[in-house]
Amino acid sequence: MISIYSCGMETFSVNGQPAEFEGDPATPLLWVIRDHIGLKGTKFGCGIGQCGACTVHIDGRAVRSCMTPVSGAAGKSVTTIEGLAPSEEKLHPVQLAWLEMDVPQCGYCQAGQIMAAAELIASNPAPDDDAIDQHMTNICRCGTYTRIRKAIHRASELSAEGS
Amino acid sequence: MSAVMISRRNFLVTGLTAAGGFAVGLPLGLGSAQADSASAGKIGFYVEVRPDNSFVLGTAQPEIGQGVRTSLTMLIAEELEVPWERVSIEPMPLGIVKTADGYTWKYGGQGAGGSTSVTDAWEFLRQVGATAREMLVTAAAQRWSVPVGRCHAEAGYVLCDDNGQRFSYAELAADAAALPQPEEPPALKPQSEFSLVGTPRNTIDARDIVTGKARYGIDTEMPGMRYAVIQRAPQLDAKVVSYDDREVRQVPGVVDVFKIDGPEPGAPYHILAEGVAVVATSQWAAFEGRRKLRIEWTESPWKDESTETFWAQTAELLSGEGQVVRDDGDFVGALSAADKTVEARYQVPYVNHAPLEPQNCYADVREDSVHIIAPTQSPSGSNRAAHTITGIDREKIRVDMTRVGGGFGRRLTNDYTAEAVLISQKIGAPVKLVWSREDDVQHDFYRPSGEHEFKAGLSADGKVTAWTHRLASASKYYRRENVAPEDMYGAEMYIDDFPAGIVDNLRIEWLAVTSGVPRGSWRAPAHTANAFTVQSFIDEVAHAAGRDPLELRLELYGDNRELPYGQHGGPTFNPWRLSRLLKHVAKEIDYGAERPKGRAVGIASHFTFGGYAAHALEVEVGSQGELDIRRVVAAVDCGVVVNPRGVEAQLQGGTIDGFSTALNLEITVDQGRIQQSNFHDYRIARMAEIPRNIECHILPYGDTPTGMGEMGIPTVAPALTNAIYNACGVRIRKLPIADQLAKQLS
């Protein structure tokens, strides 16, 4: 899909594709991503920035898209779970680690968890448990935290190995 | 709650004949004529062989995170003799068929509740795989003109023992599908020959999840679809007096606003609450429109209900006599003859299910058909809800199931399907209804709250001679027409639970609290409250008797024997299997070791829906009440293990759910209104609040499996509060633990 997102005079990209949105600039980025762009991997969980199911990257920084007005993405580069992997065949190290550690149960929070973890690994290539605790504030209702922790450590190794 | 009305048992007797002439007693139609699609490689409902010799296996059960898409598929694949790496899954819709005796299942029972999926499917799905395999073998034998006995299946091929040739399943599928189905299911392989079942397997569709491709109900998009939200009554059972929608209709995208009639207070319900629906061309417009609604509500009939009045009511009830639901021996006599008596009361709060995917449902009501797409634990309940509202024949109501973003019992109730159907019917177009988090926290069928009173009598030598458990609670049988008042206790007290059948003089009583708060099934229903209270009290009894809590449990659980168990999870209960787990976790945690002041171990064990679990925790409590959960050892005996990786996931997740709930979760009421509204004040535990490692131990037993969705939770809270008592002397008798330690110690 190629469309241009204009917020006032600004535009931004989603997963490398320029796009267009003509609605209220206060509309949360979450709903623009889900309902206007049609990328459903980013989830709605609480609408107040608590659970993190809606986590996406704006210029590489993890944000809660349910609390970010679309105007806040103006001129910036948005990455969603669909755009995290370098290619269809080659997954991101965090995604690979998530598969290896068999993290998901219901899976609903996992896109947000993965986006949060990807930011952590990018800024801190070998996070210790305290760093993980501090960074990972997303809610998993199924209780996959044990495996998320293992997967982040594993992603750190995979990243170092260059996969 | 609209429970499944179709008998699971009925299916095996009549299901297949009703579905179109299949052999009686064989739980699957396997002839090609009976397949749902005309695909050349389709052998019956569940098995599809692709031209590249890969295998698409149907999954009929709701996947709510309990792992059935993986574990149940393993059962088919084991007997089908196909390499797991070449297996993928295809979700199946609800299958119901009308017969002279009512409706029956087309694909086998469908519904996720009570941890029954693996148990119920254990033989059936292996027969599905075995039958398809035998048809493929027969097709090959016919091509080679050799007896079937000279052929065997292996890794997706049929091999001929005489000529050394082989055919792939793909080469045989069309012939196999045209064969008559065997009259009897083939013999199943002995468990010693399993090559897949019992091996650890990762979630089969996990790649879709980690790449954002997995589709949940909330992701549904269909042509011409509208988006809807409902503003429901903020106070329990309040009604709409009037509403002003002028500003709502100014919001770009809003197309309609109308009232949704709620049920009368106390009457059976189809939806939870009365409200006003806002329909729009986008989800955000619907939410924005709703913010502008001005609604005048009637006074709630429950306006005087609060959490305080609830506890006042339980105290008042417990001062009187209850309904005696079990009475063994001579409890009164034994108690008065006791050398020592112990008593305690415990309080368990209402809690919210809070699945992370908010409730939602797509409904397209046409003149003579309905299409539902929903995250549901009970697709037949969803179908029935749509039928009740529209009157349309149930076979014309299609229910498609998506992956479900958490269940926890909430989605056994299909009120949100009913709402979506009402809206689609009214606007004459397809609609997706979505709840906000606030809607979900404030409008739930909450886990029942209650106050538990225990008394025990001890002999001079420290034996338990008398035991009573009295519970004042509001039954989870909420507004049910078909449950008599004298049967309401059955949802709250499982009368054959420990120590029934073990302590000779035992009395169980239930007292009905009047509350307007809706109640329903919450993961492991009454086992959460009863394991917390019974397993706390057994420690209190042990301390009063001057005995070790582990040693007392082992004595009471006794020898390896089956006791009758009449509730779900029976027909028998073997308390010795709890001893086996307890000994294991005690050894792992070094139960008898000396520990520094402020540090101690607590244990608990419980039988839940056929499965056995135990926890041993080591905690440290600081001088100001700081709680540090240092070690968590969990053990489960769920019989035969189908997928150890999945069992471990459920045990970890159940344990974490147990911590989260015991530590902080509580729904409170004031003036007939739920006081919590979102995750800022209903604080599901974050990662930092949960112990970093959960040590999981799986102890297989016997030759049949039980489910695993629920047994990981109940023992967490009592093991934790027992450990806390042992560490600092504070006995937590009210959940959640919250700030009680800080208040009592600092």
Side-chain angles (χ1 to χ4, degrees):
Chain A
M1 166 205 333
I2 310 262
S3 48
I4 304 294
Y5 273 74
S6 62
C7 302
M9 300 300 289
E10 310 287 351
T11 61
F12 67 99
S13 72
V14 176
N15 299 334
Q17 302 278 319
E20 179 177 278
F21 177 71
E22 292 180 349
D24 180 355
T27 305
L29 182 58
L30 169 67
W31 297 107
V32 174
I33 290 169
R34 284 182 57 82
D35 291 348
H36 294 271
I37 301 179
L39 294 173
K40 301 293 191 188
T42 305
K43 300 302 190 210
F44 167 58
C46 70
I48 60 168
Q50 284 279 325
C51 76
C54 65
T55 305
V56 300
H57 293 179
I58 296 181
D59 287 348
R61 298 300 306 273
V63 300
R64 308 258 155 123
S65 64
C66 74
M67 295 287 283
T68 308
V70 66
S71 58
K76 294 176 179 169
S77 168
V78 176
T79 305
T80 70
I81 187 69
E82 292 91 346
L84 184 66
S87 71
E88 185 74 20
E89 294 75 35
K90 187 175 165 62
L91 296 185
H92 186 281
V94 171
Q95 292 170 313
L96 287 172
W98 244 246
L99 290 178
E100 190 180 321
M101 293 299 158
D102 195 34
V103 174
Q105 287 186 27
C106 89
Y108 193 78
C109 74
Q110 299 299 346
Q113 303 277 6
I114 288 168
M115 296 308 284
E119 184 205 39
L120 174 62
I121 295 287
S123 62
N124 180 356
D128 62 13
D129 281 332
D130 288 340
I132 291 172
D133 279 346
Q134 196 167 24
H135 187 85
M136 297 297 292
T137 57
N138 295 32
I139 291 175
C140 174
R141 177 66 181 85
C142 299
T144 63
Y145 296 133
T146 317
R147 289 185 179 181
I148 287 177
R149 183 182 303 281
K150 286 181 180 162
I152 291 174
H153 289 305
R154 179 65 183 139
S156 171
E157 290 173 7
L158 290 171
S159 244
E161 292 162 12
S163 52
Chain B
M1 189 179 74
S2 25
V4 176
M5 69 177 289
I6 305 165
S7 155
R8 284 167 194 271
R9 261 177 242 106
N10 219 12
F11 168 72
L12 284 172
V13 180
T14 63
L16 297 158
T17 41
F22 306 134
V24 170
L26 179 60
L28 178 72
L30 280 158
S32 60
Q34 283 78 41
D36 275 339
S37 74
S39 161
K42 201 84 196 271
I43 308 175
F45 294 130
Y46 279 87
V47 177
E48 182 183 351
V49 181
R50 289 269 168 92
D52 65 354
N53 216 35
S54 65
F55 312 95
V56 182
L57 304 184
T59 64
Q61 283 291 55
E63 174 59 76
I64 57 177
Q66 82 280 46
V68 287
R69 282 187 178 177
T70 307
S71 56
L72 298 185
T73 305
M74 287 171 73
L75 298 179
I76 303 175
E78 176 69 62
E79 287 285 350
L80 187 59
E81 299 291 358
V82 290
W84 183 245
E85 297 69 29
R86 298 194 64 76
V87 173
S88 61
I89 52 116
E90 178 70 29
M92 295 158 73
L94 171 68
I96 57 170
V97 178
K98 196 189 292 180
T99 74
D101 303 325
Y103 288 91
T104 189
W105 302 109
K106 186 175 177 186
Y107 310 127
Q110 290 177 279
S115 296
T116 54
S117 291
V118 167
T119 319
D120 289 353
W122 173 237
E123 283 203 359
F124 160 55
L125 286 182
R126 286 187 294 149
Q127 287 172 357
V128 165
T131 306
R133 182 200 67 224
E134 283 308 293
M135 291 166 78
L136 287 157
V137 168
T138 302
Q142 287 179 359
R143 283 215 204 160
W144 287 316
S145 299
V146 300
V148 167
R150 300 303 304 157
C151 304
H152 73 278
E154 197 178 302
Y157 290 85
V158 179
L159 288 79
C160 181
D161 302 333
D162 290 344
N163 61 25
Q165 294 177 351
R166 68 175 196 176
F167 287 116
S168 72
Y169 282 5
E171 292 172 283
L172 298 167
D175 287 359
L179 288 172
Q181 179 183 310
E183 291 196 0
E184 295 292 329
L188 298 176
K189 65 168 83 164
Q191 294 184 26
S192 58
E193 291 175 19
F194 283 165
S195 60
L196 179 63
V197 169
T199 63
R201 298 293 161 173
N202 287 2
T203 303
I204 192 164
D205 48 351
R207 191 180 173 99
D208 284 348
I209 296 170
V210 306
T211 54
K213 292 194 182 82
R215 286 291 165 266
Y216 296 80
I218 202 168
D219 302 327
T220 303
E221 293 289 340
M222 298 290 272
M225 186 185 91
R226 300 299 198 192
Y227 300 77
V229 297
I230 297 173
Q231 181 65 49
R232 294 171 194 79
Q235 280 184 304
L236 300 165
D237 288 331
K239 297 281 204 170
V240 174
V241 175
S242 64
Y243 64 94
D244 178 349
D245 62 6
R246 283 169 297 183
E247 283 188 48
V248 184
R249 291 177 183 274
Q250 303 292 314
V251 173
V254 169
V255 296
D256 210 346
V257 184
F258 48 87
K259 184 180 156 198
I260 300 284
D261 291 325
E264 292 308 313
Y269 59 89
H270 57 300
I271 63 174
L272 243 174
E274 184 149 308
V276 176
V278 177
V279 182
T281 55
S282 78
Q283 192 63 56
W284 182 245
F287 280 132
E288 280 295 278
R290 184 172 73 165
R291 286 203 308 131
K292 315 267 182 180
L293 258 178
R294 300 288 173 267
I295 307 173
E296 187 188 339
W297 302 97
T298 61
E299 192 168 69
S300 164
W302 306 99
K303 67 182 169 54
D304 296 327
E305 179 168 349
S306 67
T307 299
E308 289 69 34
T309 63
F310 184 93
W311 296 130
Q313 201 184 152
T314 58
E316 172 67 25
L317 285 166
L318 286 168
S319 71
E321 289 184 3
Q323 176 193 2
V324 176
V325 297
R326 179 164 181 150
D327 201 9
D328 294 356
D330 175 16
F331 166 74
V332 176
L335 192 72
S336 61
D339 183 65
K340 186 186 252 186
T341 61
V342 192
E343 61 180 275
R345 284 189 184 181
Y346 306 86
Q347 292 177 327
V348 178
Y350 281 119
V351 296
N352 172 223
H353 294 85
L356 203 59
E357 178 188 11
Q359 315 314 330
N360 64 84
C361 183
Y362 167 86
D364 183 8
V365 179
R366 304 286 177 91
E367 195 177 329
D368 59 357
S369 70
V370 182
H371 185 197
I372 303 288
I373 304 174
T376 178
Q377 294 178 246
S378 173
S380 67
S382 185
N383 174 287
R384 189 159 57 142
H387 166 73
T388 303
I389 291 165
T390 63
I392 290 168
D393 190 309
R394 293 190 64 182
E395 286 183 317
K396 300 271 180 60
I397 298 173
R398 178 182 175 96
V399 178
D400 284 317
M401 288 178 280
T402 58
R403 183 168 259 281
V404 184
F408 312 104
R410 173 61 181 87
R411 296 193 234 256
L412 289 165
T413 311
N414 289 282
D415 52 307
Y416 50 96
T417 292
E419 290 176 337
V421 166
L422 286 167
I423 295 169
S424 176
Q425 195 176 42
K426 168 93 178 169
I427 66 175
V431 70
K432 177 171 67 179
L433 169 76
V434 173
W435 290 36
S436 66
R437 179 56 51 192
E438 289 80 4
D439 295 337
D440 183 71
V441 174
Q442 301 223 306
H443 301 280
D444 193 7
F445 297 87
Y446 303 91
R447 187 183 76 181
S449 174
E451 182 160 7
H452 301 240
E453 180 187 86
F454 290 82
K455 282 183 192 159
L458 291 164
S459 62
D461 60 350
K463 305 273 190 210
V464 182
T465 54
W467 179 285
T468 186
H469 180 181
R470 307 171 71 232
L471 167 60
S473 72
S475 174
K476 87 164 188 188
Y477 289 152
Y478 172 70
R479 298 187 174 191
R480 296 262 192 108
E481 284 179 300
N482 54 355
V483 181
E486 62 271 24
D487 294 330
M488 299 290 269
Y489 78 90
E492 307 310 309
M493 309 189 86
Y494 309 134
I495 58 170
D496 295 338
D497 271 352
F498 171 83
I502 293 170
V503 175
D504 291 338
N505 305 297
L506 173 134
R507 178 176 288 180
I508 302 176
E509 283 181 36
W510 187 68
L511 304 107
V513 172
T514 304
S515 168
V517 177
R519 286 93 57 188
S521 298
W522 191 100
R523 196 178 193 179
H527 284 301
T528 52
N530 293 326
F532 167 62
T533 56
V534 170
Q535 289 291 309
S536 293
F537 188 63
I538 197 74
D539 260 44
E540 298 209 47
V541 168
H543 295 309
R547 298 180 62 178
D548 178 83
L550 173 62
E551 180 261 330
L552 176 60
R553 279 181 181 79
L554 297 181
E555 176 189 281
L556 289 168
Y557 291 157
D559 296 333
N560 187 350
R561 71 210 187 281
E562 300 289 335
L563 299 178
Y565 192 87
Q567 295 87 55
H568 178 50
T572 62
F573 157 51
N574 183 341
W576 171 83
R577 289 169 71 177
L578 293 174
S579 286
R580 179 171 165 255
L581 296 176
L582 273 179
K583 286 180 190 166
H584 189 91
V585 295
K587 181 162 176 284
E588 285 294 326
I589 208 156
D590 203 0
Y591 181 80
E594 285 288 322
R595 289 177 165 82
K597 185 173 158 33
R599 193 182 295 179
V601 165
I603 55 169
S605 47
H606 192 71
F607 172 70
T608 300
F609 299 158
Y612 299 77
H615 277 88
L617 310 180
E618 183 187 77
V619 308
E620 186 164 308
V621 181
S623 60
Q624 304 299 304
E626 311 92 324
L627 174 64
D628 178 15
I629 304 166
R630 297 172 51 86
R631 267 191 82 189
V632 182
V633 181
V636 70
D637 160 5
C638 56
V640 169
V641 177
V642 174
N643 180 11
R645 200 106 211 251
V647 168
E648 185 201 66
Q650 289 306 302
L651 187 53
Q652 287 173 338
T655 300
I656 290 172
D657 196 358
F659 281 126
S660 179
T661 310
L663 288 169
N664 284 313
L665 297 183
E666 177 177 28
I667 287 291
T668 57
V669 182
D670 187 42
Q671 296 179 38
R673 182 178 182 142
I674 305 301
Q675 291 185 284
Q676 291 70 28
S677 65
N678 204 319
F679 292 135
H680 65 292
D681 56 8
Y682 190 75
R683 283 196 56 85
I684 305 278
R686 273 59 164 188
M687 201 159 157
E689 300 161 67
I690 292 298
R692 288 179 179 169
N693 191 26
I694 314 282
E695 301 166 45
C696 292
H697 300 265
I698 304 168
L699 281 69
Y701 183 89
D703 56 9
T704 53
T706 70
M708 255 315 289
E710 296 169 281
M711 33 296 279
I713 286 195
T715 44
V716 177
L720 181 57
T721 55
N722 287 338
I724 288 170
Y725 175 82
N726 294 337
C728 70
V730 174
R731 171 57 63 183
I732 302 287
R733 296 198 183 90
K734 179 174 187 166
L735 294 178
I737 296 167
D739 59 355
Q740 291 181 70
L741 287 174
K743 279 188 172 158
Q744 293 202 40
L745 290 172
S746 57

